[in-house]
Amino acid sequence: MTADGGAGGGGGGGAGAGRIGVGFAACHHGEILQGVFLDENDRPCAGLVTLPMQGPGTRAEFTPRPGSSPGQLTVFPADRTKALRAAALAIEECAALRGQAPFRGGELTLSGDVPLGLGMGSSSSDVIAAIRAVADAYGLRLPPATIARLAVRAERASDPLMLGGRPLLFAQREGRVLEVLGDALPPAVVVGCTLGGGSPVDTLSLPAPRHDHEDVRAYERLRSLLRRAVADADTALLGHVSTESARRAQRVREQREFGLLDRIAGRVGAVGLQIAHSGNVAGLLFDPAAPDLGHRLRRCVRALRTCGIPVTRTFATGTTGTISEEHLHGRAHVRRDRPARSDTSRRRAHLPALRDDEGRLGHGGGTAPARHRHRTTR
């Protein structure tokens, strides 16, 4: 895939010319809260609060090609068109900051282990990593607000992955923060799983949600409760907000397993559940201070497996942590080819699994689409 990289007229030149740039961006595990909220001017605005997750992510490498034909940018894998648009926009931005002509051409290569189409922010991870790689090639580090602006231009709506792991109410279609809710979500242990057989979701085909004044009031109430949950480190209140947000989302995109997941949460002592509003990834939330936590988690895994719901991974909230060097290289688990949509991988992969009390993997036979490996030849 190629794209116009901006104005022609010479290579980058100067600082950063010909330098290979590298960028990384993490993913998330769907949303804790998503709906419509009032901004600082009391204007209804679509917003979301994601559930951060360390580990999986996208690594981008951008190699400038100053001697190539004007405007020639390529991306590998070739279907990552959003990342390609982001790279072109980042080249224009960085060239202007440097006072240079944009690179004539370049090669963007993406690798990582973020499952595609499950609502984990795979396209935002691609886009943000691509922007950071281009900036690195120019010897720049763009501020998060600039990355957010470019990301929204590249993919129309972006997750706030450029802003770290703090709980933020983020206007995904405008690329701006509506509210910083605090430093970290309340502590919780999440048992991740996939619904709908783990099939990817074409987010562009989803109906646009319509909200009235009653919806705004309901979401503002959930926003207030989440603010309190963060301030008080109240895991139970976090679970309530997440469950109610997922319940309201059923009006737009009904998940047939929602009722089953809700009943399992009640039986195994979870404080609530969360479901990606634009994908099939989901999770059951547990209080890490609960008695017999290990027993509750094992019961949860068994219940999900018995119902045929694939279990993927467990992880903890409540820490902001930084991405270390070891996070740059995610392990890919490549499986057989499958049909793909634009911006959807043709590979499938197992996610890291939670083991039950008998040491068996908790996938239940399910798989999830994964990323292409990084191309090692030039």
Side-chain angles (χ1 to χ4, degrees):
M1 181 67 67
T2 62
D4 190 330
R19 162 179 171 166
I20 297 176
V22 175
F24 177 83
C27 69
H28 61 78
H29 200 266
E31 292 78 31
I32 288 289
L33 175 61
Q34 182 170 350
V36 61
F37 307 88
L38 298 177
D39 68 6
E40 66 277 8
N41 297 315
D42 289 331
R43 179 178 63 90
C45 182
L48 52 79
V49 181
T50 58
L51 178 57
M53 180 179 64
Q54 292 191 7
T58 299
R59 184 181 190 274
E61 185 175 290
F62 177 68
T63 305
R65 303 295 186 201
S68 61
S69 301
Q72 292 300 304
L73 290 177
T74 62
V75 64
F76 179 86
D79 61 352
R80 306 299 168 79
T81 55
K82 296 176 183 177
L84 186 65
R85 287 198 296 271
L89 292 170
I91 287 173
E92 294 179 356
E93 182 81 18
C94 294
L97 289 172
R98 283 291 189 192
Q100 303 169 358
F103 290 130
R104 282 184 150 191
E107 177 181 337
L108 176 68
T109 304
L110 304 174
S111 62
D113 52 1
V114 184
L116 301 186
L118 292 186
M120 297 175 68
S122 59
S123 61
S124 291
S125 183
D126 280 354
V127 163
I128 295 166
I131 292 170
R132 286 173 170 166
V134 170
D136 189 47
Y138 273 94
L140 296 172
R141 178 174 295 181
L142 297 177
T146 300
I147 297 176
R149 173 171 54 81
L150 297 176
V152 169
R153 287 184 62 190
E155 58 172 337
R156 295 196 292 182
S158 176
D159 294 313
L161 303 175
M162 73 293 292
L163 295 166
R166 290 186 304 166
L168 307 167
L169 181 60
F170 185 74
Q172 69 270 26
R173 296 173 189 165
E174 301 177 19
R176 63 190 181 97
V177 176
L178 298 177
E179 181 180 355
V180 178
L181 297 167
D183 292 329
L185 288 173
V189 176
V190 183
V191 177
C193 59
T194 55
L195 308 179
S199 300
V201 175
D202 182 4
T203 56
L204 296 180
S205 68
L206 296 177
R210 295 184 178 183
H211 300 293
D212 56 24
H213 293 299
E214 181 182 350
D215 291 320
V216 174
R217 286 194 296 269
Y219 282 117
E220 278 295 318
R221 179 177 178 274
L222 290 176
R223 173 185 185 174
S224 177
L225 291 175
L226 183 56
R227 185 187 301 125
R228 194 172 84 199
V230 171
D232 297 342
D234 189 332
T235 305
L237 189 54
L238 172 72
H240 170 74
V241 171
S242 180
T243 302
E244 289 307 306
S245 179
R247 195 185 308 279
R248 295 188 69 84
Q250 295 297 299
R251 298 179 304 168
V252 177
R253 179 172 172 267
E254 186 176 358
Q255 291 276 11
R256 62 181 178 84
E257 298 104 328
F258 176 83
L260 177 60
L261 207 63
D262 197 22
R263 289 192 294 274
I264 291 174
R267 290 203 311 265
V268 302
V271 297
L273 57 88
Q274 60 94 207
I275 299 177
H277 291 219
S278 60
N280 281 324
V281 72
L284 280 76
L285 281 61
F286 292 83
D287 187 340
D292 301 322
L293 176 63
H295 178 63
R296 296 184 189 212
L297 297 178
R298 290 189 292 271
R299 285 185 61 204
C300 179
V301 169
R302 285 196 297 268
L304 292 171
R305 292 180 64 204
T306 299
C307 295
I309 298 177
V311 178
T312 54
R313 66 169 69 229
T314 54
F315 61 97
T317 69
T319 57
T320 54
T322 57
I323 298 297
S324 63
E325 194 66 25
E326 66 187 29
H327 289 110
L328 291 177
H329 305 281
R331 185 173 55 139
H333 308 266
V334 180
R335 300 290 285 178
R336 64 183 181 276
D337 288 344
R338 63 175 292 172
R341 300 183 181 92
S342 176
D343 280 290
T344 301
S345 172
R346 291 183 174 85
R347 302 284 183 182
R348 303 189 76 186
H350 283 288
L351 294 173
L354 173 70
R355 295 181 180 272
D356 65 16
D357 56 342
E358 298 177 2
R360 295 176 299 188
L361 293 178
H363 283 290
T367 58
R371 324 289 287 180
H372 286 275
R373 287 185 180 274
H374 177 54
R375 186 170 56 179
T376 57
T377 58
R378 294 273 178 205

